[in-house]
């Protein structure tokens, strides 16, 4: 009995220590086109892993694999230590992976509370008297946004009247409320100014502090360095570098993101 109990404890420790999401040498091909090749990253609870790269670097393909839209062709994809091949986005959600895309899936003319619960609306009553529990949705939305530090004037206002940053923040709060363990954010600051970007990054950090593992996809090394714990750089579908925050400076991260030695070669060429 004793040895069996100890074995169980060891298994529990292993499960706890395993990253929430881990990709090892993951590759994806579309015919003869290499979308991703040999990409590895880990996402731990309470940490932010930033994936950086320009257009065409493979960031979108990586998101689709983690979100269950596409399956990888090679390598290993693990969720909490278990080898996984997600069949669809619903399965990813059921496993605790929530993805917030750049073009947020909201209905602009519907109120904030309705968008917060879109597709998961609570009801009350039974049979022909079954109806949406509007009071609960309003109160829950207000409370959850406040818990994340988002103080909206009115949750009855159409979500389309909010700024881009505020809409991103509502999407983050929604993912936290519905029990996400991993939050994947697709370029959340891409179309925002400095102030609005700062607001979004504050709530990204709040999700991390709530214990979620966050994957932040971005092409902005300055935004990544403000909140990131790990950095993975992609270029043309391949991983060119992987750093922890204490192993790289912002200047070096920016240099590598900009092309590093290729940029130096170009400068020498232009000088000649």
């Amino acid at each position: 009995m004793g040895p069996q109990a100890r074995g169980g404890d060891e298994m529990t420790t292993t499960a706890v220590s395993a990253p929430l999401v881990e990709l090892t040498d993951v590759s994806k091909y579309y015919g003869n086109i290499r979308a991703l090749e040999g990409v590895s990253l880990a996402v731990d609870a309470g940490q932010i892993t930033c994936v950086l790269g320009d257009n065409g670097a493979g960031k979108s393909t990586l998101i689709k694999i983690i979100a269950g839209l596409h399956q990888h062709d090679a390598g290993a994809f693990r969720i909490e230590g278990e080898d996984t091949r997600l069949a669809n986005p619903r399965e990813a959600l059921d496993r605790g992976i929530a993805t917030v895309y750049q073009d947020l899936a909201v209905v602009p003319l519907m109120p904030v509370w309705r968008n917060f619960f879109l597709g998961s609306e609570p009801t009350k009553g039974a049979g022909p008297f079954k109806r949406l529990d509007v009071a609960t949705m309003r109160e829950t939305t207000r409370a959850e946004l406040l818990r994340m530090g988002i103080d909206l004037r009115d949750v009855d206002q159409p979500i389309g009247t909010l700024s881009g940053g505020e809409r991103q923040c509502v999407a983050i709060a929604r993912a936290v409320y519905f029990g996400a363990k991993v939050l994947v954010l697709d370029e959340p600051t891409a179309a925002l100014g400095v102030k609005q970007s700062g607001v979004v990054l504050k709530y990204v950090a709040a999700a991390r502090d709530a214990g979620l593992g966050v994957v932040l996809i971005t092409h902005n090394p300055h935004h990544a360095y403000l909140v990131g714990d790990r950095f993975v750089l992609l270029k043309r579908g391949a991983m060119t570098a992987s750093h922890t925050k204490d192993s790289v400076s912002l200047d070096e991260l920016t240099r590598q993101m900009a092309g590093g030695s290729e940029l130096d070669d170009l400068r020498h060429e232009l000088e000649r």
Side-chain angles (χ1 to χ4, degrees):
M1 183 80 179
Q4 287 178 349
R6 280 196 298 273
D9 288 343
E10 286 171 10
M11 285 175 67
T12 303
T13 304
T14 303
V16 169
S17 62
L20 293 177
V21 165
E22 184 178 19
L23 277 66
T24 306
D25 292 329
V26 162
S27 300
K28 177 67 181 175
Y29 301 94
Y30 299 103
N32 293 326
I33 299 171
R34 178 191 75 177
L36 276 184
E37 188 166 37
V39 173
S40 300
L41 64 82
V43 186
D44 287 315
Q47 289 204 333
I48 298 174
T49 298
C50 299
V51 179
L52 299 104
D54 286 327
N55 293 336
K59 304 192 299 297
S60 295
T61 303
L62 185 65
I63 291 173
K64 287 170 183 172
I65 290 172
I66 298 174
L69 277 164
H70 292 174
Q71 295 186 342
H72 55 290
D73 294 321
F77 176 20
R78 301 182 187 90
I79 297 178
E80 296 184 270
E82 180 187 339
D83 277 322
T84 302
R85 187 173 286 273
L86 296 173
N88 51 58
R90 172 52 64 183
E91 188 179 338
L93 278 171
D94 292 343
R95 300 290 297 272
I97 299 173
T99 303
V100 178
Y101 292 98
Q102 190 175 335
D103 51 343
L104 294 172
V106 298
V107 183
L109 295 179
M110 280 187 178
V112 173
W113 61 263
R114 187 67 193 273
N115 276 279
F116 192 91
F117 281 92
L118 199 60
S120 304
E121 295 87 348
T123 57
K124 59 182 179 180
F129 301 104
K130 190 174 182 180
R131 59 202 183 278
L132 293 178
D133 191 349
V134 174
T136 296
M137 285 192 278
R138 279 198 181 106
E139 186 51 43
T140 302
T141 300
R142 187 177 289 110
E144 289 302 312
L145 292 178
L146 273 174
R147 193 164 72 86
M148 288 286 290
I150 307 165
D151 188 6
L152 280 186
R153 299 172 296 283
D154 180 14
V155 294
D156 281 302
Q157 69 190 101
I159 199 167
T161 63
L162 301 183
S163 68
E166 287 172 326
R167 289 197 296 273
Q168 287 280 353
C169 297
V170 170
I172 292 169
R174 182 184 191 278
V176 173
Y177 173 73
F178 282 103
K181 296 178 184 178
V182 176
L183 183 61
V184 183
L185 299 168
D186 174 23
E187 299 272 10
T189 61
L192 304 178
V194 174
K195 186 175 180 181
Q196 285 293 319
S197 294
V199 169
V200 172
L201 291 174
K202 186 170 77 169
Y203 297 122
V204 172
R208 173 200 63 199
D209 296 342
L212 277 73
V214 180
V215 180
L216 177 63
I217 311 292
T218 182
H219 63 268
N220 191 318
H222 293 82
H223 292 170
Y225 203 78
L226 281 171
V227 295
D229 298 292
R230 292 192 183 114
F231 309 97
V232 172
L233 276 70
L234 299 182
K235 184 175 181 181
R236 295 173 191 164
M239 188 173 74
T240 58
S242 179
H243 304 287
T244 57
K245 191 162 190 173
D246 57 4
S247 69
V248 69
S249 66
L250 173 58
D251 286 346
E252 178 59 20
L253 189 67
T254 305
R255 192 186 79 83
Q256 290 185 15
M257 172 78 187
S261 58
E262 288 182 16
L263 203 62
D264 292 337
D265 292 342
L266 177 61
R267 185 171 64 246
H268 289 318
E269 261 187 61
L270 293 173
E271 284 172 356
R272 285 201 300 274

